[in-house]
Amino acid sequence: MALKDSTEGYGIVSKVLHWGMALLILWQFLSAASRYFFEDTAIEAFFWPTHKTLGVILLVLMFLRLVWALINRSNRPPSVSLLSKTGHWVMYLLVIVIPILALLRQYGSGRTFDVLGLPIFEGFEGEKIQWMLDLGSDFHGELGWILLALIAGHTIMTYVHQKATPKKDVLARMWK
Ligand code: HEM
Ligand code: HEM
């Protein structure tokens, strides 16, 4: 199986990144939903503790995926339409912007922050940085739910293309 992408289909690196991240993103939304709908219940206690750590891991993976997409840019299966191409780039952008907004808010709170034992911010004394808190509070969750809607649309469109006549077998190039 090819490592790199080709015009016929995605290579193993793109496939592992796509499906692996799809699972992690699903978990990320389960944890967000657990907090939004089931605050202070056993459901939140089960899902929520991974949210910040997994969010940072997703940010790192998305950067790697962006670099990989740029390396393979001229050698990928052609997009079905301009809309699908734009949709894919918007999803990239959101998976980068959403965690960055949360990290800004985290920094602005002045609290120490580490991920899997790795120190990310030291924390500081004194006043919190209000604009960072506001940016995170105003946009992190909202853009998060927009991303979820885009992913739902993306999944539905895969089904629509598979069922269309003539069939556009987009699944084969990402799955087989
Ligand atoms: C791709 C990564 C991420 C996604 C898709 C995501 C998505 C979400 C969503 C949908 C919510 C629910 C918002 C609501 O209550 O309406 C949320 C809440 C939250 N997220 Fe994330 N998140 C991500 C990464 C992060 C990271 C890296 C952090 C921390 C460093 C973080 C911290 C929080 C916090 C503290 C809340 C609860 C407060 C709030 O509603 O904003 N998230 N997230
Ligand atoms: C489980 C549901 C999912 C299905 C059925 C699915 C299906 C597909 C298919 C068939 C393709 C190939 C499209 C083409 O070649 O034109 C694709 C590409 C893509 N998908 Fe998904 N996908 C899913 C989840 C996700 C999630 C959660 C994301 C979130 C970021 C995502 C982002 C992308 C992107 C950005 C591409 C373009 C190729 C790339 O850069 O990896 N997909 N998807």
Side-chain angles (χ1 to χ4, degrees), residues 5 10 14 17-18 21 58-59 61-70 76 85-99 147 150 174:
D5 301 342
Y10 293 93
S14 297
L17 282 169
H18 177 271
M21 286 181 72
L58 280 168
L59 174 63
L61 287 175
M62 205 59 191
F63 265 123
L64 296 177
R65 187 164 164 190
L66 177 66
V67 171
W68 187 249
L70 291 174
R76 290 197 134 184
K85 191 177 190 159
T86 313
H88 292 160
W89 282 113
V90 172
M91 288 195 278
Y92 268 77
L93 190 70
L94 286 177
V95 180
I96 289 174
V97 169
I98 292 166
L147 172 64
L150 279 180
M174 185 51 98

PDB file of all heavy atoms in Angstrom, residues 5 10 14 17-18 21 58-59 61-70 76 85-99 147 150 174:
ATOM      1  N   ASP A   5      -0.153   9.912  -1.229  1.00  0.00           N
ATOM      2  CA  ASP A   5      -1.409   9.926  -1.979  1.00  0.00           C
ATOM      3  C   ASP A   5      -1.130   9.860  -3.479  1.00  0.00           C
ATOM      4  O   ASP A   5      -0.012  10.118  -3.927  1.00  0.00           O
ATOM      5  CB  ASP A   5      -2.171  11.229  -1.685  1.00  0.00           C
ATOM      6  CG  ASP A   5      -2.478  11.392  -0.203  1.00  0.00           C
ATOM      7  OD1 ASP A   5      -2.427  10.388   0.517  1.00  0.00           O
ATOM      8  OD2 ASP A   5      -2.769  12.526   0.214  1.00  0.00           O
ATOM      9  N   TYR A  10      -6.131   7.940  -1.650  1.00  0.00           N
ATOM     10  CA  TYR A  10      -5.252   8.417  -0.582  1.00  0.00           C
ATOM     11  C   TYR A  10      -4.302   7.301  -0.160  1.00  0.00           C
ATOM     12  O   TYR A  10      -4.654   6.113  -0.223  1.00  0.00           O
ATOM     13  CB  TYR A  10      -6.090   8.877   0.610  1.00  0.00           C
ATOM     14  CG  TYR A  10      -6.912  10.107   0.295  1.00  0.00           C
ATOM     15  CD1 TYR A  10      -8.224   9.995  -0.165  1.00  0.00           C
ATOM     16  CD2 TYR A  10      -6.363  11.386   0.414  1.00  0.00           C
ATOM     17  CE1 TYR A  10      -8.976  11.117  -0.481  1.00  0.00           C
ATOM     18  CE2 TYR A  10      -7.108  12.516   0.106  1.00  0.00           C
ATOM     19  CZ  TYR A  10      -8.415  12.377  -0.345  1.00  0.00           C
ATOM     20  OH  TYR A  10      -9.154  13.475  -0.660  1.00  0.00           O
ATOM     21  N   SER A  14      -2.434   9.343   4.951  1.00  0.00           N
ATOM     22  CA  SER A  14      -3.668  10.151   4.952  1.00  0.00           C
ATOM     23  C   SER A  14      -4.838   9.366   5.526  1.00  0.00           C
ATOM     24  O   SER A  14      -5.669   9.913   6.252  1.00  0.00           O
ATOM     25  CB  SER A  14      -4.023  10.591   3.533  1.00  0.00           C
ATOM     26  OG  SER A  14      -3.012  11.425   3.026  1.00  0.00           O
ATOM     27  N   LEU A  17      -4.491   9.058   9.325  1.00  0.00           N
ATOM     28  CA  LEU A  17      -4.788  10.357   9.935  1.00  0.00           C
ATOM     29  C   LEU A  17      -6.291  10.640   9.881  1.00  0.00           C
ATOM     30  O   LEU A  17      -6.894  11.066  10.855  1.00  0.00           O
ATOM     31  CB  LEU A  17      -4.019  11.474   9.214  1.00  0.00           C
ATOM     32  CG  LEU A  17      -2.536  11.609   9.578  1.00  0.00           C
ATOM     33  CD1 LEU A  17      -1.837  12.564   8.620  1.00  0.00           C
ATOM     34  CD2 LEU A  17      -2.368  12.118  11.015  1.00  0.00           C
ATOM     35  N   HIS A  18      -6.913  10.400   8.721  1.00  0.00           N
ATOM     36  CA  HIS A  18      -8.337  10.707   8.574  1.00  0.00           C
ATOM     37  C   HIS A  18      -9.205   9.879   9.521  1.00  0.00           C
ATOM     38  O   HIS A  18      -9.994  10.416  10.287  1.00  0.00           O
ATOM     39  CB  HIS A  18      -8.780  10.499   7.112  1.00  0.00           C
ATOM     40  CG  HIS A  18     -10.245  10.739   6.912  1.00  0.00           C
ATOM     41  ND1 HIS A  18     -11.185   9.745   7.059  1.00  0.00           N
ATOM     42  CD2 HIS A  18     -10.947  11.862   6.619  1.00  0.00           C
ATOM     43  CE1 HIS A  18     -12.394  10.253   6.850  1.00  0.00           C
ATOM     44  NE2 HIS A  18     -12.286  11.535   6.577  1.00  0.00           N
ATOM     45  N   MET A  21      -8.206  10.274  13.368  1.00  0.00           N
ATOM     46  CA  MET A  21      -8.682  11.551  13.916  1.00  0.00           C
ATOM     47  C   MET A  21     -10.204  11.602  13.974  1.00  0.00           C
ATOM     48  O   MET A  21     -10.776  12.245  14.853  1.00  0.00           O
ATOM     49  CB  MET A  21      -8.136  12.723  13.105  1.00  0.00           C
ATOM     50  CG  MET A  21      -6.662  12.972  13.388  1.00  0.00           C
ATOM     51  SD  MET A  21      -6.016  14.365  12.462  1.00  0.00           S
ATOM     52  CE  MET A  21      -6.792  15.734  13.321  1.00  0.00           C
ATOM     53  N   LEU A  58      -5.178  16.735  19.328  1.00  0.00           N
ATOM     54  CA  LEU A  58      -5.814  16.950  18.019  1.00  0.00           C
ATOM     55  C   LEU A  58      -5.181  18.134  17.282  1.00  0.00           C
ATOM     56  O   LEU A  58      -4.989  18.092  16.065  1.00  0.00           O
ATOM     57  CB  LEU A  58      -7.320  17.185  18.190  1.00  0.00           C
ATOM     58  CG  LEU A  58      -8.155  15.917  18.394  1.00  0.00           C
ATOM     59  CD1 LEU A  58      -9.568  16.249  18.856  1.00  0.00           C
ATOM     60  CD2 LEU A  58      -8.200  15.091  17.110  1.00  0.00           C
ATOM     61  N   LEU A  59      -4.832  19.168  18.049  1.00  0.00           N
ATOM     62  CA  LEU A  59      -4.194  20.338  17.426  1.00  0.00           C
ATOM     63  C   LEU A  59      -2.859  19.932  16.788  1.00  0.00           C
ATOM     64  O   LEU A  59      -2.566  20.275  15.636  1.00  0.00           O
ATOM     65  CB  LEU A  59      -3.990  21.433  18.486  1.00  0.00           C
ATOM     66  CG  LEU A  59      -3.216  22.673  18.045  1.00  0.00           C
ATOM     67  CD1 LEU A  59      -3.952  23.417  16.930  1.00  0.00           C
ATOM     68  CD2 LEU A  59      -2.997  23.631  19.225  1.00  0.00           C
ATOM     69  N   LEU A  61      -1.904  16.883  15.876  1.00  0.00           N
ATOM     70  CA  LEU A  61      -2.150  15.980  14.742  1.00  0.00           C
ATOM     71  C   LEU A  61      -2.623  16.767  13.515  1.00  0.00           C
ATOM     72  O   LEU A  61      -2.255  16.463  12.378  1.00  0.00           O
ATOM     73  CB  LEU A  61      -3.203  14.932  15.105  1.00  0.00           C
ATOM     74  CG  LEU A  61      -2.752  13.829  16.068  1.00  0.00           C
ATOM     75  CD1 LEU A  61      -3.932  12.933  16.432  1.00  0.00           C
ATOM     76  CD2 LEU A  61      -1.636  12.991  15.433  1.00  0.00           C
ATOM     77  N   MET A  62      -3.431  17.818  13.758  1.00  0.00           N
ATOM     78  CA  MET A  62      -3.962  18.574  12.614  1.00  0.00           C
ATOM     79  C   MET A  62      -2.856  19.349  11.911  1.00  0.00           C
ATOM     80  O   MET A  62      -2.877  19.470  10.691  1.00  0.00           O
ATOM     81  CB  MET A  62      -5.090  19.511  13.085  1.00  0.00           C
ATOM     82  CG  MET A  62      -6.049  19.855  11.984  1.00  0.00           C
ATOM     83  SD  MET A  62      -6.820  18.339  11.319  1.00  0.00           S
ATOM     84  CE  MET A  62      -7.616  18.929   9.881  1.00  0.00           C
ATOM     85  N   PHE A  63      -1.881  19.840  12.694  1.00  0.00           N
ATOM     86  CA  PHE A  63      -0.735  20.516  12.068  1.00  0.00           C
ATOM     87  C   PHE A  63       0.026  19.530  11.184  1.00  0.00           C
ATOM     88  O   PHE A  63       0.391  19.838  10.053  1.00  0.00           O
ATOM     89  CB  PHE A  63       0.207  21.083  13.135  1.00  0.00           C
ATOM     90  CG  PHE A  63      -0.063  22.525  13.441  1.00  0.00           C
ATOM     91  CD1 PHE A  63      -0.361  22.934  14.733  1.00  0.00           C
ATOM     92  CD2 PHE A  63      -0.029  23.485  12.430  1.00  0.00           C
ATOM     93  CE1 PHE A  63      -0.628  24.263  15.021  1.00  0.00           C
ATOM     94  CE2 PHE A  63      -0.292  24.816  12.703  1.00  0.00           C
ATOM     95  CZ  PHE A  63      -0.596  25.211  14.011  1.00  0.00           C
ATOM     96  N   LEU A  64       0.264  18.313  11.727  1.00  0.00           N
ATOM     97  CA  LEU A  64       0.979  17.304  10.940  1.00  0.00           C
ATOM     98  C   LEU A  64       0.192  16.968   9.670  1.00  0.00           C
ATOM     99  O   LEU A  64       0.743  16.833   8.578  1.00  0.00           O
ATOM    100  CB  LEU A  64       1.183  16.022  11.772  1.00  0.00           C
ATOM    101  CG  LEU A  64       2.078  16.169  13.006  1.00  0.00           C
ATOM    102  CD1 LEU A  64       2.134  14.854  13.776  1.00  0.00           C
ATOM    103  CD2 LEU A  64       3.492  16.586  12.592  1.00  0.00           C
ATOM    104  N   ARG A  65      -1.149  16.879   9.849  1.00  0.00           N
ATOM    105  CA  ARG A  65      -1.996  16.528   8.703  1.00  0.00           C
ATOM    106  C   ARG A  65      -1.987  17.642   7.653  1.00  0.00           C
ATOM    107  O   ARG A  65      -2.019  17.376   6.453  1.00  0.00           O
ATOM    108  CB  ARG A  65      -3.412  16.283   9.217  1.00  0.00           C
ATOM    109  CG  ARG A  65      -4.364  15.755   8.177  1.00  0.00           C
ATOM    110  CD  ARG A  65      -5.578  15.199   8.861  1.00  0.00           C
ATOM    111  NE  ARG A  65      -6.696  15.008   7.959  1.00  0.00           N
ATOM    112  CZ  ARG A  65      -7.915  14.718   8.359  1.00  0.00           C
ATOM    113  NH1 ARG A  65      -8.169  14.570   9.645  1.00  0.00           N
ATOM    114  NH2 ARG A  65      -8.899  14.555   7.478  1.00  0.00           N
ATOM    115  N   LEU A  66      -1.918  18.886   8.132  1.00  0.00           N
ATOM    116  CA  LEU A  66      -1.855  20.025   7.213  1.00  0.00           C
ATOM    117  C   LEU A  66      -0.562  19.963   6.391  1.00  0.00           C
ATOM    118  O   LEU A  66      -0.582  20.119   5.163  1.00  0.00           O
ATOM    119  CB  LEU A  66      -1.922  21.329   8.024  1.00  0.00           C
ATOM    120  CG  LEU A  66      -1.796  22.625   7.243  1.00  0.00           C
ATOM    121  CD1 LEU A  66      -2.995  22.805   6.315  1.00  0.00           C
ATOM    122  CD2 LEU A  66      -1.710  23.826   8.186  1.00  0.00           C
ATOM    123  N   VAL A  67       0.555  19.687   7.079  1.00  0.00           N
ATOM    124  CA  VAL A  67       1.836  19.595   6.376  1.00  0.00           C
ATOM    125  C   VAL A  67       1.770  18.468   5.339  1.00  0.00           C
ATOM    126  O   VAL A  67       2.156  18.629   4.179  1.00  0.00           O
ATOM    127  CB  VAL A  67       2.997  19.343   7.389  1.00  0.00           C
ATOM    128  CG1 VAL A  67       4.293  19.018   6.680  1.00  0.00           C
ATOM    129  CG2 VAL A  67       3.162  20.550   8.309  1.00  0.00           C
ATOM    130  N   TRP A  68       1.192  17.335   5.760  1.00  0.00           N
ATOM    131  CA  TRP A  68       1.091  16.181   4.854  1.00  0.00           C
ATOM    132  C   TRP A  68       0.200  16.509   3.642  1.00  0.00           C
ATOM    133  O   TRP A  68       0.498  16.139   2.509  1.00  0.00           O
ATOM    134  CB  TRP A  68       0.556  14.964   5.618  1.00  0.00           C
ATOM    135  CG  TRP A  68       0.581  13.700   4.811  1.00  0.00           C
ATOM    136  CD1 TRP A  68      -0.497  13.023   4.326  1.00  0.00           C
ATOM    137  CD2 TRP A  68       1.740  12.975   4.373  1.00  0.00           C
ATOM    138  NE1 TRP A  68      -0.092  11.915   3.617  1.00  0.00           N
ATOM    139  CE2 TRP A  68       1.275  11.859   3.623  1.00  0.00           C
ATOM    140  CE3 TRP A  68       3.113  13.156   4.532  1.00  0.00           C
ATOM    141  CZ2 TRP A  68       2.145  10.937   3.043  1.00  0.00           C
ATOM    142  CZ3 TRP A  68       3.977  12.225   3.949  1.00  0.00           C
ATOM    143  CH2 TRP A  68       3.494  11.141   3.225  1.00  0.00           C
ATOM    144  N   ALA A  69      -0.891  17.234   3.896  1.00  0.00           N
ATOM    145  CA  ALA A  69      -1.802  17.610   2.804  1.00  0.00           C
ATOM    146  C   ALA A  69      -1.084  18.537   1.825  1.00  0.00           C
ATOM    147  O   ALA A  69      -1.248  18.424   0.607  1.00  0.00           O
ATOM    148  CB  ALA A  69      -3.043  18.302   3.363  1.00  0.00           C
ATOM    149  N   LEU A  70      -0.249  19.444   2.364  1.00  0.00           N
ATOM    150  CA  LEU A  70       0.456  20.384   1.480  1.00  0.00           C
ATOM    151  C   LEU A  70       1.512  19.647   0.657  1.00  0.00           C
ATOM    152  O   LEU A  70       1.666  19.911  -0.538  1.00  0.00           O
ATOM    153  CB  LEU A  70       1.089  21.521   2.294  1.00  0.00           C
ATOM    154  CG  LEU A  70       0.061  22.486   2.922  1.00  0.00           C
ATOM    155  CD1 LEU A  70       0.747  23.495   3.841  1.00  0.00           C
ATOM    156  CD2 LEU A  70      -0.768  23.203   1.857  1.00  0.00           C
ATOM    157  N   ARG A  76      -3.327  14.347  -5.182  1.00  0.00           N
ATOM    158  CA  ARG A  76      -4.426  13.758  -4.403  1.00  0.00           C
ATOM    159  C   ARG A  76      -5.594  13.478  -5.334  1.00  0.00           C
ATOM    160  O   ARG A  76      -5.659  14.058  -6.419  1.00  0.00           O
ATOM    161  CB  ARG A  76      -4.904  14.754  -3.343  1.00  0.00           C
ATOM    162  CG  ARG A  76      -3.928  14.966  -2.236  1.00  0.00           C
ATOM    163  CD  ARG A  76      -4.573  15.614  -1.039  1.00  0.00           C
ATOM    164  NE  ARG A  76      -4.145  14.895   0.144  1.00  0.00           N
ATOM    165  CZ  ARG A  76      -4.560  15.132   1.380  1.00  0.00           C
ATOM    166  NH1 ARG A  76      -5.442  16.057   1.607  1.00  0.00           N
ATOM    167  NH2 ARG A  76      -4.112  14.435   2.395  1.00  0.00           N
ATOM    168  N   LYS A  85     -14.116  20.820  -1.704  1.00  0.00           N
ATOM    169  CA  LYS A  85     -12.737  21.263  -1.448  1.00  0.00           C
ATOM    170  C   LYS A  85     -12.729  22.327  -0.349  1.00  0.00           C
ATOM    171  O   LYS A  85     -11.957  22.258   0.609  1.00  0.00           O
ATOM    172  CB  LYS A  85     -12.168  21.849  -2.748  1.00  0.00           C
ATOM    173  CG  LYS A  85     -10.704  22.098  -2.695  1.00  0.00           C
ATOM    174  CD  LYS A  85     -10.218  22.617  -4.035  1.00  0.00           C
ATOM    175  CE  LYS A  85      -8.701  22.642  -4.051  1.00  0.00           C
ATOM    176  NZ  LYS A  85      -8.146  22.639  -5.377  1.00  0.00           N
ATOM    177  N   THR A  86     -13.637  23.308  -0.464  1.00  0.00           N
ATOM    178  CA  THR A  86     -13.720  24.379   0.537  1.00  0.00           C
ATOM    179  C   THR A  86     -14.075  23.786   1.897  1.00  0.00           C
ATOM    180  O   THR A  86     -13.472  24.144   2.911  1.00  0.00           O
ATOM    181  CB  THR A  86     -14.807  25.404   0.122  1.00  0.00           C
ATOM    182  OG1 THR A  86     -14.616  25.707  -1.252  1.00  0.00           O
ATOM    183  CG2 THR A  86     -14.713  26.678   0.933  1.00  0.00           C
ATOM    184  N   GLY A  87     -15.051  22.875   1.902  1.00  0.00           N
ATOM    185  CA  GLY A  87     -15.481  22.250   3.153  1.00  0.00           C
ATOM    186  C   GLY A  87     -14.325  21.556   3.856  1.00  0.00           C
ATOM    187  O   GLY A  87     -14.147  21.688   5.065  1.00  0.00           O
ATOM    188  N   HIS A  88     -13.502  20.837   3.089  1.00  0.00           N
ATOM    189  CA  HIS A  88     -12.359  20.144   3.686  1.00  0.00           C
ATOM    190  C   HIS A  88     -11.382  21.146   4.306  1.00  0.00           C
ATOM    191  O   HIS A  88     -10.906  20.947   5.424  1.00  0.00           O
ATOM    192  CB  HIS A  88     -11.641  19.291   2.640  1.00  0.00           C
ATOM    193  CG  HIS A  88     -12.452  18.120   2.164  1.00  0.00           C
ATOM    194  ND1 HIS A  88     -12.213  17.460   0.981  1.00  0.00           N
ATOM    195  CD2 HIS A  88     -13.528  17.504   2.712  1.00  0.00           C
ATOM    196  CE1 HIS A  88     -13.085  16.480   0.829  1.00  0.00           C
ATOM    197  NE2 HIS A  88     -13.896  16.492   1.869  1.00  0.00           N
ATOM    198  N   TRP A  89     -11.115  22.250   3.600  1.00  0.00           N
ATOM    199  CA  TRP A  89     -10.172  23.242   4.149  1.00  0.00           C
ATOM    200  C   TRP A  89     -10.743  23.947   5.374  1.00  0.00           C
ATOM    201  O   TRP A  89     -10.023  24.246   6.323  1.00  0.00           O
ATOM    202  CB  TRP A  89      -9.757  24.266   3.075  1.00  0.00           C
ATOM    203  CG  TRP A  89      -8.726  23.676   2.138  1.00  0.00           C
ATOM    204  CD1 TRP A  89      -8.891  23.387   0.818  1.00  0.00           C
ATOM    205  CD2 TRP A  89      -7.386  23.258   2.471  1.00  0.00           C
ATOM    206  NE1 TRP A  89      -7.737  22.803   0.303  1.00  0.00           N
ATOM    207  CE2 TRP A  89      -6.804  22.723   1.294  1.00  0.00           C
ATOM    208  CE3 TRP A  89      -6.617  23.268   3.641  1.00  0.00           C
ATOM    209  CZ2 TRP A  89      -5.496  22.214   1.252  1.00  0.00           C
ATOM    210  CZ3 TRP A  89      -5.311  22.761   3.594  1.00  0.00           C
ATOM    211  CH2 TRP A  89      -4.764  22.242   2.413  1.00  0.00           C
ATOM    212  N   VAL A  90     -12.067  24.184   5.373  1.00  0.00           N
ATOM    213  CA  VAL A  90     -12.683  24.828   6.547  1.00  0.00           C
ATOM    214  C   VAL A  90     -12.575  23.903   7.763  1.00  0.00           C
ATOM    215  O   VAL A  90     -12.300  24.346   8.877  1.00  0.00           O
ATOM    216  CB  VAL A  90     -14.160  25.226   6.261  1.00  0.00           C
ATOM    217  CG1 VAL A  90     -14.848  25.717   7.525  1.00  0.00           C
ATOM    218  CG2 VAL A  90     -14.229  26.299   5.180  1.00  0.00           C
ATOM    219  N   MET A  91     -12.736  22.585   7.539  1.00  0.00           N
ATOM    220  CA  MET A  91     -12.599  21.645   8.665  1.00  0.00           C
ATOM    221  C   MET A  91     -11.163  21.664   9.208  1.00  0.00           C
ATOM    222  O   MET A  91     -10.951  21.662  10.418  1.00  0.00           O
ATOM    223  CB  MET A  91     -13.019  20.234   8.248  1.00  0.00           C
ATOM    224  CG  MET A  91     -14.522  20.116   8.077  1.00  0.00           C
ATOM    225  SD  MET A  91     -15.086  18.398   8.027  1.00  0.00           S
ATOM    226  CE  MET A  91     -14.775  17.989   6.335  1.00  0.00           C
ATOM    227  N   TYR A  92     -10.190  21.707   8.311  1.00  0.00           N
ATOM    228  CA  TYR A  92      -8.797  21.841   8.760  1.00  0.00           C
ATOM    229  C   TYR A  92      -8.651  23.081   9.648  1.00  0.00           C
ATOM    230  O   TYR A  92      -8.091  23.023  10.733  1.00  0.00           O
ATOM    231  CB  TYR A  92      -7.859  22.044   7.551  1.00  0.00           C
ATOM    232  CG  TYR A  92      -7.266  20.784   6.984  1.00  0.00           C
ATOM    233  CD1 TYR A  92      -8.023  19.948   6.180  1.00  0.00           C
ATOM    234  CD2 TYR A  92      -5.941  20.444   7.218  1.00  0.00           C
ATOM    235  CE1 TYR A  92      -7.484  18.802   5.630  1.00  0.00           C
ATOM    236  CE2 TYR A  92      -5.395  19.295   6.671  1.00  0.00           C
ATOM    237  CZ  TYR A  92      -6.172  18.478   5.876  1.00  0.00           C
ATOM    238  OH  TYR A  92      -5.622  17.350   5.345  1.00  0.00           O
ATOM    239  N   LEU A  93      -9.154  24.193   9.111  1.00  0.00           N
ATOM    240  CA  LEU A  93      -9.002  25.472   9.806  1.00  0.00           C
ATOM    241  C   LEU A  93      -9.640  25.417  11.198  1.00  0.00           C
ATOM    242  O   LEU A  93      -9.035  25.840  12.192  1.00  0.00           O
ATOM    243  CB  LEU A  93      -9.675  26.566   8.953  1.00  0.00           C
ATOM    244  CG  LEU A  93      -9.414  27.987   9.386  1.00  0.00           C
ATOM    245  CD1 LEU A  93      -7.961  28.344   9.090  1.00  0.00           C
ATOM    246  CD2 LEU A  93     -10.328  28.956   8.625  1.00  0.00           C
ATOM    247  N   LEU A  94     -10.849  24.859  11.267  1.00  0.00           N
ATOM    248  CA  LEU A  94     -11.558  24.829  12.553  1.00  0.00           C
ATOM    249  C   LEU A  94     -10.847  23.946  13.576  1.00  0.00           C
ATOM    250  O   LEU A  94     -10.773  24.286  14.749  1.00  0.00           O
ATOM    251  CB  LEU A  94     -13.008  24.370  12.356  1.00  0.00           C
ATOM    252  CG  LEU A  94     -13.928  25.412  11.716  1.00  0.00           C
ATOM    253  CD1 LEU A  94     -15.318  24.834  11.486  1.00  0.00           C
ATOM    254  CD2 LEU A  94     -14.028  26.671  12.572  1.00  0.00           C
ATOM    255  N   VAL A  95     -10.300  22.805  13.113  1.00  0.00           N
ATOM    256  CA  VAL A  95      -9.629  21.915  14.079  1.00  0.00           C
ATOM    257  C   VAL A  95      -8.313  22.562  14.570  1.00  0.00           C
ATOM    258  O   VAL A  95      -7.736  22.137  15.561  1.00  0.00           O
ATOM    259  CB  VAL A  95      -9.402  20.502  13.488  1.00  0.00           C
ATOM    260  CG1 VAL A  95      -8.712  19.586  14.496  1.00  0.00           C
ATOM    261  CG2 VAL A  95     -10.719  19.874  13.060  1.00  0.00           C
ATOM    262  N   ILE A  96      -7.873  23.612  13.900  1.00  0.00           N
ATOM    263  CA  ILE A  96      -6.711  24.358  14.393  1.00  0.00           C
ATOM    264  C   ILE A  96      -7.158  25.537  15.274  1.00  0.00           C
ATOM    265  O   ILE A  96      -6.650  25.749  16.373  1.00  0.00           O
ATOM    266  CB  ILE A  96      -5.840  24.814  13.192  1.00  0.00           C
ATOM    267  CG1 ILE A  96      -5.158  23.578  12.591  1.00  0.00           C
ATOM    268  CG2 ILE A  96      -4.806  25.847  13.630  1.00  0.00           C
ATOM    269  CD1 ILE A  96      -4.385  23.814  11.331  1.00  0.00           C
ATOM    270  N   VAL A  97      -8.154  26.289  14.791  1.00  0.00           N
ATOM    271  CA  VAL A  97      -8.573  27.508  15.504  1.00  0.00           C
ATOM    272  C   VAL A  97      -9.260  27.185  16.839  1.00  0.00           C
ATOM    273  O   VAL A  97      -9.000  27.850  17.851  1.00  0.00           O
ATOM    274  CB  VAL A  97      -9.502  28.355  14.594  1.00  0.00           C
ATOM    275  CG1 VAL A  97     -10.173  29.467  15.384  1.00  0.00           C
ATOM    276  CG2 VAL A  97      -8.710  28.934  13.429  1.00  0.00           C
ATOM    277  N   ILE A  98     -10.125  26.160  16.854  1.00  0.00           N
ATOM    278  CA  ILE A  98     -10.917  25.859  18.064  1.00  0.00           C
ATOM    279  C   ILE A  98     -10.017  25.558  19.283  1.00  0.00           C
ATOM    280  O   ILE A  98     -10.178  26.189  20.331  1.00  0.00           O
ATOM    281  CB  ILE A  98     -11.921  24.708  17.784  1.00  0.00           C
ATOM    282  CG1 ILE A  98     -12.992  25.203  16.813  1.00  0.00           C
ATOM    283  CG2 ILE A  98     -12.549  24.183  19.065  1.00  0.00           C
ATOM    284  CD1 ILE A  98     -13.835  24.097  16.199  1.00  0.00           C
ATOM    285  N   PRO A  99      -9.041  24.638  19.165  1.00  0.00           N
ATOM    286  CA  PRO A  99      -8.185  24.417  20.342  1.00  0.00           C
ATOM    287  C   PRO A  99      -7.301  25.621  20.675  1.00  0.00           C
ATOM    288  O   PRO A  99      -7.016  25.870  21.846  1.00  0.00           O
ATOM    289  CB  PRO A  99      -7.341  23.192  19.973  1.00  0.00           C
ATOM    290  CG  PRO A  99      -7.542  22.949  18.533  1.00  0.00           C
ATOM    291  CD  PRO A  99      -8.795  23.637  18.110  1.00  0.00           C
ATOM    292  N   LEU A 147     -18.283  23.074  13.756  1.00  0.00           N
ATOM    293  CA  LEU A 147     -17.464  21.975  13.202  1.00  0.00           C
ATOM    294  C   LEU A 147     -18.259  20.669  13.204  1.00  0.00           C
ATOM    295  O   LEU A 147     -18.245  19.924  12.222  1.00  0.00           O
ATOM    296  CB  LEU A 147     -16.172  21.815  14.029  1.00  0.00           C
ATOM    297  CG  LEU A 147     -15.309  20.594  13.692  1.00  0.00           C
ATOM    298  CD1 LEU A 147     -14.766  20.690  12.266  1.00  0.00           C
ATOM    299  CD2 LEU A 147     -14.144  20.438  14.671  1.00  0.00           C
ATOM    300  N   LEU A 150     -20.581  20.632  10.338  1.00  0.00           N
ATOM    301  CA  LEU A 150     -19.868  20.397   9.069  1.00  0.00           C
ATOM    302  C   LEU A 150     -19.519  18.919   8.906  1.00  0.00           C
ATOM    303  O   LEU A 150     -19.627  18.358   7.812  1.00  0.00           O
ATOM    304  CB  LEU A 150     -18.570  21.200   9.042  1.00  0.00           C
ATOM    305  CG  LEU A 150     -18.665  22.669   8.663  1.00  0.00           C
ATOM    306  CD1 LEU A 150     -17.284  23.299   8.686  1.00  0.00           C
ATOM    307  CD2 LEU A 150     -19.259  22.799   7.254  1.00  0.00           C
ATOM    308  N   MET A 174     -10.725   6.808   0.091  1.00  0.00           N
ATOM    309  CA  MET A 174     -10.276   7.076   1.469  1.00  0.00           C
ATOM    310  C   MET A 174     -10.238   5.791   2.297  1.00  0.00           C
ATOM    311  O   MET A 174      -9.556   5.720   3.307  1.00  0.00           O
ATOM    312  CB  MET A 174     -11.213   8.104   2.112  1.00  0.00           C
ATOM    313  CG  MET A 174     -10.806   8.583   3.490  1.00  0.00           C
ATOM    314  SD  MET A 174      -9.103   9.143   3.572  1.00  0.00           S
ATOM    315  CE  MET A 174      -9.260  10.913   3.423  1.00  0.00           C
TER     316      MET A 174
END
